[in-house]
Amino acid sequence: MQATCELNYARFLRVLPDCDTQHLAFEFTIGTHLSYRITLTETARYTTTLMVEQHNASTPDYLKPSMQVRLYHDARMAEVISSQNTGAFAPSYTYPNRSMRQRNEKQMVNQFLGEWLQFCLKHQPTVTSEA
């Protein structure tokens, strides 16, 4: 999983024009129907916390992906710390479990983040606004 987090960090640096100023929000559009917002919610000397959300008016909220991601600048890693408002992830889970999470749920959400970042880089999103 360390390699996935390192790749995700490098991808974030390519997608975000600025990732060390607190309370910035970047809106990206890909094509005509996909809009995403990345909001920098917290910055510190060695970390930045981001909220990644899809925000299309025509899509119901439960189908819109949302993730809270922490960038570790000293380790050059990006890790999903929360996804779909589910809270923190354990390194692994016994199965079956009360929340019905997969054994490797943490790894899977970080892989999803990597796939999303690759999708963004492939389609060259344009920053439509900075708030």
Side-chain angles (χ1 to χ4, degrees):
M1 190 171 99
Q2 182 176 350
T4 301
C5 292
E6 289 172 352
L7 280 171
N8 287 347
Y9 182 85
R11 290 172 181 146
F12 259 118
L13 292 183
R14 289 174 53 200
V15 169
L16 291 178
D18 180 20
C19 66
D20 62 355
T21 305
Q22 191 170 0
H23 302 296
L24 279 180
F26 299 98
E27 292 185 11
F28 298 91
T29 56
I30 299 173
T32 57
H33 300 294
L34 295 175
S35 294
Y36 297 96
R37 177 176 300 170
I38 299 176
T39 308
L40 282 71
T41 58
E42 180 183 342
T43 59
R45 184 173 184 177
Y46 298 110
T47 62
T48 300
T49 305
L50 311 167
M51 189 65 182
V52 179
E53 304 169 288
Q54 181 177 343
H55 63 98
N56 299 339
S58 61
T59 306
D61 286 343
Y62 67 92
L63 290 177
K64 296 177 186 176
S66 66
M67 295 174 272
Q68 190 173 20
V69 179
R70 180 151 303 136
L71 303 179
Y72 299 96
H73 302 295
D74 54 344
R76 301 187 59 79
M77 296 176 71
E79 176 184 26
V80 177
I81 56 176
S82 174
S83 177
Q84 301 300 102
N85 301 316
T86 59
F89 292 101
S92 64
Y93 296 92
T94 57
Y95 194 81
N97 56 64
R98 200 174 227 160
S99 301
M100 292 308 294
R101 291 190 173 177
Q102 297 295 316
R103 292 180 183 186
N104 61 345
E105 188 92 11
K106 185 173 187 172
Q107 181 178 356
M108 289 172 38
V109 296
N110 281 287
Q111 285 176 340
F112 174 75
L113 174 63
E115 291 170 5
W116 178 79
L117 288 167
Q118 272 300 106
F119 173 79
C120 286
L121 289 168
K122 180 180 176 184
H123 295 291
Q124 301 175 2
T126 55
V127 177
T128 55
S129 70
E130 295 181 25

